[in-house]
Amino acid sequence: MKKIVCMLLVAAVILTGASAVEPPSIDAKGALLMELETQTVLFEQNADEKLYPASITKLMTALVVLEKANPEDIVTVKKEGLDGLPEMGSSVFLVPGEQMPLMDLLKYLLVSSGNDAANALAIHIGGTLSDFVEMMNSKAQSLGCTNTHFANAHGLHDENHYTTARDLSLIAQAAIENKTIAEIVAMPQVKVAATNKHKAQTFTTTNHLISKIKDGNYYYPDAIGIKTGFTTPAGYCLTAAAVKGELTYLSVVLGAAKREDGKIGSFTESIKLLDYAEKNFSVQLVVQSSDPIAEVPVKLSSERDAVVAVPEGSISALLPNDFDRTKLVIDYDVVKSIDAPVTKGQALGNATFSYEGKEYGKLALVAAEDIGRSQVLYVVSRITGFFGSTAFKIIVGVLLAVIVLSGAALVTMRVTNQRRRRRRGGRGKYRR
């Protein structure tokens, strides 16, 4: 492998630590920031530490419900779904026997974070709360979550109910990719129809990033959702998403606190992360097929004595705006030489692209142009090659053997003739 440094770059999978841009200081137990289109992780802090998700749990509840239910269902609230819920906030809105369209219950669940809605939906889908929780854990595993375990559908505190910032990023991605959930979590307010127990109601989102209705201090113009959470053991939690151009940034903040000035840490820290992403990163054309990487000697051509090896195709990547391209390291491996004719695009080798000790990708290297063959050089090469070939050596060996054998035969014939002459000469003397 040969190594060079040049002004090229390839797509990064993880950019944490690969930029001179100073990452934000996040006051939370765990956090993660990523861009969804490129699957690029831009920041992480204790991303694999098991923490309590509080009501962010309801994203998984909604995913399982929409996977199993008929959206046209009417849900009947069961008493066992309300038993044991604390009589505070949205947990006491529903009453036993109340009937509500499933889609209205989902809006209440995700916008106003109704714990009673979570249990009503769980019983409707799973039959029992415990059976529904099994579905949640199964779904988490199917999404690739490795440090997550749910104990209920609403997120109220349970020592055996935990996840991580990294696992929550997988759950939140799945939620955003679900069109129904994505539409609901982006709603500042929702209105649900009258039921057999209540008049029509309007619920306001708990996510202040997408609404100024309750508190305009945290409003973030690019935000599109997605879910808040809070319990005393969990602290303030938030999964947030924002769209900038064609990019979608997702942040996860777990275990934040309320600051001395009264600011809620889940919102302030999420804003820090989203600002960091939007202000410091962009998609750049980092490698293109015209970039020269190496030269390969060419034989049998009078046009060129070497062909340029270039990357096969072009790559764009999400990278820091101040990325120093002069520090890119390219390790390449190409053939020692190649015989003409050479065809543009012909495979010549491979290259690995690294920056500050991190490998960012590999690309095939191909010929940048066609190079014709010289017929004269080709014929000379064939002749020269023939004289050095095994076949030529065999022919020479056979000829030498024939010459040697012929010589030996001649010598034998001479000796035999001489002996005959001597015998004839001796017989003549005796006659006389």
Side-chain angles (χ1 to χ4, degrees):
M1 291 285 284
K2 297 182 180 179
K3 182 177 291 187
I4 60 173
V5 179
C6 71
M7 297 180 65
L8 295 176
L9 197 59
V10 294
V13 176
I14 297 180
L15 288 177
T16 304
S19 169
V21 177
E22 190 69 25
S25 175
I26 299 300
D27 186 10
K29 293 180 180 178
L32 186 139
L33 171 68
M34 69 181 301
E35 197 287 310
L36 299 186
E37 301 302 318
T38 60
Q39 290 291 292
T40 306
V41 175
L42 302 173
F43 176 91
E44 59 180 78
Q45 175 177 300
N46 302 325
D48 297 306
E49 182 178 341
K50 292 179 181 178
L51 298 167
Y52 303 123
S55 283
I56 297 177
T57 298
K58 295 180 174 79
L59 291 176
M60 178 58 77
T61 302
L63 282 168
V64 175
V65 168
L66 288 171
E67 189 176 82
K68 305 291 185 181
N70 182 343
E72 303 300 320
D73 283 355
I74 301 297
V75 179
T76 299
V77 178
K78 304 292 179 63
K79 181 178 182 299
E80 58 265 34
L82 304 179
D83 292 342
L85 291 179
E87 294 184 3
M88 63 174 69
S90 59
S91 293
V92 296
F93 174 72
L94 300 177
V95 296
E98 184 164 8
Q99 294 183 320
M100 181 180 286
L102 183 137
M103 294 306 297
D104 278 357
L105 265 180
L106 276 174
K107 293 174 183 177
Y108 171 38
L109 173 82
L110 295 172
V111 175
S112 190
S113 201
N115 296 323
D116 47 359
N119 277 1
L121 288 164
I123 293 174
H124 179 74
I125 299 300
T128 66
L129 293 174
S130 60
D131 286 345
F132 184 80
V133 168
E134 287 186 11
M135 295 178 186
M136 295 172 69
N137 286 316
S138 177
K139 180 66 175 178
Q141 290 182 353
S142 72
L143 292 176
C145 299
T146 57
N147 292 297
T148 294
H149 185 269
F150 295 111
N152 57 59
H154 41 64
L156 291 173
H157 185 66
D158 187 302
E159 291 292 332
N160 202 34
H161 189 95
Y162 55 82
T163 187
T164 66
R166 196 180 311 281
D167 281 1
L168 271 184
S169 73
L170 299 175
I171 296 169
Q173 285 182 74
I176 291 174
E177 289 169 1
N178 184 293
K179 183 178 179 180
T180 300
I181 296 177
E183 289 178 352
I184 294 174
V185 297
M187 296 177 177
Q189 281 189 328
V190 293
K191 185 174 182 178
V192 298
T195 70
N196 59 328
K197 301 290 184 177
H198 286 99
K199 296 179 180 179
Q201 299 286 328
T202 298
F203 297 109
T204 301
T205 183
T206 58
N207 185 358
H208 302 320
L209 294 186
I210 63 171
S211 172
K212 296 180 180 180
I213 297 172
K214 289 184 177 180
D215 192 336
N217 292 319
Y218 308 109
Y219 181 71
Y220 199 81
D222 296 332
I224 58 170
I226 62 175
K227 189 69 190 74
T228 62
F230 171 78
T231 64
T232 300
Y236 290 90
C237 306
L238 176 64
T239 53
V243 173
K244 188 74 171 180
E246 296 182 355
L247 302 177
T248 301
Y249 296 104
L250 173 69
S251 65
V252 180
V253 172
L254 297 175
K258 181 177 283 189
R259 298 184 340 197
E260 292 183 0
D261 61 3
K263 292 291 184 67
I264 299 173
S266 56
F267 295 115
T268 60
E269 306 312 284
S270 296
I271 289 172
K272 283 183 187 178
L273 289 171
L274 296 175
D275 275 346
Y276 171 67
E278 290 193 357
K279 294 177 180 179
N280 295 294
F281 296 87
S282 59
V283 173
Q284 305 173 40
L285 177 63
V286 293
V287 169
Q288 52 189 343
S289 58
S290 60
D291 294 326
I293 302 298
E295 285 192 346
V296 175
V298 175
K299 298 177 180 179
L300 309 182
S301 175
S302 58
E303 300 175 7
R304 301 277 191 279
D305 57 8
V307 62
V308 175
V310 296
E312 186 175 36
S314 300
I315 299 176
S316 295
L318 180 69
L319 298 164
N321 295 333
D322 64 350
F323 199 97
D324 187 354
R325 302 187 179 201
T326 64
K327 295 181 179 180
L328 182 74
V329 176
I330 304 175
D331 289 303
Y332 66 87
D333 188 10
V334 295
V335 295
K336 293 181 180 180
S337 64
I338 189 169
D339 291 343
V342 177
T343 303
K344 183 177 181 180
Q346 186 171 339
L348 298 176
N350 297 279
T352 300
F353 301 82
S354 304
Y355 181 79
E356 293 187 351
K358 290 181 178 291
E359 182 180 311
Y360 291 104
K362 297 179 180 179
L363 291 172
L365 296 180
V366 298
E369 61 180 333
D370 294 331
I371 298 179
R373 182 175 67 188
S374 166
Q375 195 61 30
V376 172
L377 292 177
Y378 174 70
V379 171
V380 171
S381 173
R382 295 285 291 181
I383 294 173
T384 304
F386 173 74
F387 285 120
S389 67
T390 301
F392 177 73
K393 292 177 182 178
I394 291 173
I395 292 171
V396 171
V398 170
L399 290 175
L400 288 174
V402 170
I403 292 171
V404 170
L405 291 174
S406 298
L410 290 172
V411 170
T412 302
M413 290 176 61
R414 288 178 181 175
V415 171
T416 302
N417 290 334
Q418 288 176 356
R419 288 176 177 174
R420 287 175 179 173
R421 285 197 296 270
R422 287 173 184 167
R423 284 198 294 269
R424 286 197 298 269
R427 286 194 295 268
K429 287 182 180 180
Y430 286 118
R431 283 195 196 112
R432 202 174 51 177

